[in-house]
């Protein structure tokens, strides 16, 4: 990882990584490859079709090293993976100390004298492959749904389409390549739960988040029969949040009809 130049990653020109070739010599990478390059400040340059020399030197070296390491381990047996890893590391160290055939020094000496001083640290967090969900609409309650749970989005984007970037632990919300907010993912067995960032919601009593206390207070203002109905709705569901929509649907009748009629 060199500070003086942009690191280059040269994979195969695989269809899972390269979306299209709009012009000669230009490639369009998929989201995962672009994120990988941006995370490590690197350039991804897939080998060109029908141009085997783009990767020939690298692949030949890898093949030679693998053959050299395997030859030294062929007659040994290992009981655990850590033992095998230690043996491979030992063989790799020996390979790097082998003198060059046509020049002075070894791979290790070249690294220590020429390359080590140019190294810069890797990012503090390793790259993590993500999944993109495109065009998810923000609901009227200011949340998007993912895996039967609700995650807040800044209220200015209610009714708009957003994109979700999901890793093993985090859900991020984007619109036009701008990150709007992020949340820790709820567990895989959790359903109908809300993750709400205070900064995503507008201020004021009008926009206060609905909960059982607020819903029951509204029911009490309508009348005792409404309280009975709302209580039965909540008793009929395993999780209280599952009854919010049904209870609010009944309560909203009081906006069209008198409390006595409701």
């Amino acid at each position: 990882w060199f500070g003086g130049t942009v690191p280059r990653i040269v994979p195969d020109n695989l269809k899972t990584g390269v979306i299209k070739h709009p012009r000669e010599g230009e490639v369009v990478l998929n989201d995962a490859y672009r994120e990988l390059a941006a995370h490590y400040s690197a350039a991804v340059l897939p080998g060109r079709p029908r141009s085997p020399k783009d990767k020939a030197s690298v692949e030949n070296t890898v093949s030679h090293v693998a053959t050299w390491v395997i030859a030294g381990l062929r007659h040994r047996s290992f009981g655990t993976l850590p033992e095998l890893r230690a043996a491979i590391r030992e063989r790799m160290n020996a390979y790097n100390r082998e003198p060059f055939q046509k020049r002075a020094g070894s791979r290790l000496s070249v690294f220590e004298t020429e390359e080590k001083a140019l190294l810069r640290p890797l990012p503090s967090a390793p790259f993590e492959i993500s999944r993109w969900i495109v065009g998810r609409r923000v609901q009227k309650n200011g949340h998007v749904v993912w895996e039967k749970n609700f995650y807040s989005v800044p209220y200015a984007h209610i009714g708009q389409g957003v994109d979700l970037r999901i890793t093993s632990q985090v859900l991020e919300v984007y619109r036009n390549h701008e990150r709007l907010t992020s949340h820790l993912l709820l567990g895989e067995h959790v359903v109908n739960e809300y993750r709400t960032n205070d900064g995503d919601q507008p201020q004021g009593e009008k926009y206060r988040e609905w909960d059982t206390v607020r819903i029951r207070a509204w029911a009490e203002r309508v009348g005792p029969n409404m309280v009975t109905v709302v209580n039965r709705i909540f008793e009929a569901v395993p999780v209280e949040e599952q009854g919010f929509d049904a209870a609010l649907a009944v309560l909203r009748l009081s906006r069209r009809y008198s409390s006595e009629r409701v």
Side-chain angles (χ1 to χ4, degrees), residues 133-146 149-154 156-164 173-175 180:
I133 306 298
V134 179
R136 186 60 56 94
R137 183 168 295 276
V138 182
Q139 298 184 348
K140 292 182 178 180
N141 61 4
H143 291 70
V144 292
V145 180
W146 171 248
N149 291 304
F150 301 84
Y151 300 87
S152 67
V153 179
H157 300 280
I158 289 175
Q160 298 178 353
V162 295
D163 301 332
L164 309 182
V173 182
Y174 285 80
R175 180 169 172 78
L180 304 178

Side-chain angles (χ1 to χ4, degrees), residues 64-80:
H64 176 70
V65 173
T67 301
W68 195 90
V69 170
I70 292 172
L73 304 178
R74 182 171 298 162
H75 302 295
R76 298 174 59 180
S77 60
F78 306 93
T80 64

Side-chain angles (χ1 to χ4, degrees), residues 15-237:
K15 291 184 178 180
T16 56
V18 178
I19 298 175
K20 59 182 178 179
H21 299 76
R23 290 186 295 273
E24 182 66 26
E26 181 180 352
V27 296
V28 177
L29 303 172
N30 67 10
D31 291 333
Y33 267 71
R34 288 202 305 272
E35 289 178 12
L36 173 68
H39 185 81
Y40 291 110
S41 300
V44 177
L45 302 174
R48 296 168 295 174
R50 298 177 296 279
S51 299
K53 291 185 178 180
D54 283 352
K55 294 186 64 179
S57 61
V58 175
E59 291 181 340
N60 287 340
T61 300
V62 171
S63 176
H64 176 70
V65 173
T67 301
W68 195 90
V69 170
I70 292 172
L73 304 178
R74 182 171 298 162
H75 302 295
R76 298 174 59 180
S77 60
F78 306 93
T80 64
L81 281 176
E83 292 178 6
L84 176 60
R85 293 192 188 101
I88 292 174
R89 172 61 63 185
E90 180 184 340
R91 289 291 294 170
M92 288 297 302
N93 290 337
Y95 179 82
N96 289 329
R97 288 184 169 84
E98 281 282 308
F100 289 125
Q101 296 181 0
K102 299 180 180 180
R103 55 181 285 196
S106 64
R107 290 174 177 80
L108 179 61
S109 65
V110 170
F111 169 74
E112 291 180 340
T113 58
E114 300 178 13
E115 300 174 351
K116 189 174 182 178
L118 299 176
L119 290 177
R120 64 186 181 191
L122 290 168
S124 56
F127 175 73
E128 187 173 5
I129 295 176
S130 62
R131 177 182 179 186
W132 282 88
I133 306 298
V134 179
R136 186 60 56 94
R137 183 168 295 276
V138 182
Q139 298 184 348
K140 292 182 178 180
N141 61 4
H143 291 70
V144 292
V145 180
W146 171 248
E147 295 292 343
K148 299 181 181 180
N149 291 304
F150 301 84
Y151 300 87
S152 67
V153 179
Y155 69 94
H157 300 280
I158 289 175
Q160 298 178 353
V162 295
D163 301 332
L164 309 182
R165 178 179 179 267
I166 300 157
T167 66
S168 61
Q169 295 182 326
V170 176
L171 178 145
E172 297 177 319
V173 182
Y174 285 80
R175 180 169 172 78
N176 297 329
H177 305 291
E178 176 188 359
R179 190 177 74 170
L180 304 178
T181 189
S182 62
H183 301 271
L184 287 175
L185 279 176
L186 290 160
E188 60 178 327
H189 301 298
V190 179
V191 296
N192 293 315
E193 289 290 332
Y194 283 76
R195 278 277 165 87
T196 305
N197 292 333
D198 292 339
D200 293 338
Q201 301 297 302
Q203 301 300 314
E205 180 71 16
K206 176 181 177 181
Y207 297 102
R208 187 158 56 91
E209 184 178 0
W210 285 106
D211 54 23
T212 54
V213 174
R214 188 180 177 192
I215 290 174
R216 284 194 166 99
W218 188 359
E220 289 174 358
R221 292 195 298 271
V222 176
N225 292 334
M226 179 62 78
V227 172
T228 301
V229 171
V230 169
N231 286 339
R232 288 182 178 177
I233 289 174
F234 285 135
E235 291 169 0
V237 294

Side-chain angles (χ1 to χ4, degrees), residues 230-250:
V230 169
N231 286 339
R232 288 182 178 177
I233 289 174
F234 285 135
E235 291 169 0
V237 294
V239 181
E240 285 187 336
E241 285 78 1
Q242 291 179 324
F244 283 8
D245 288 343
L248 289 172
V250 177

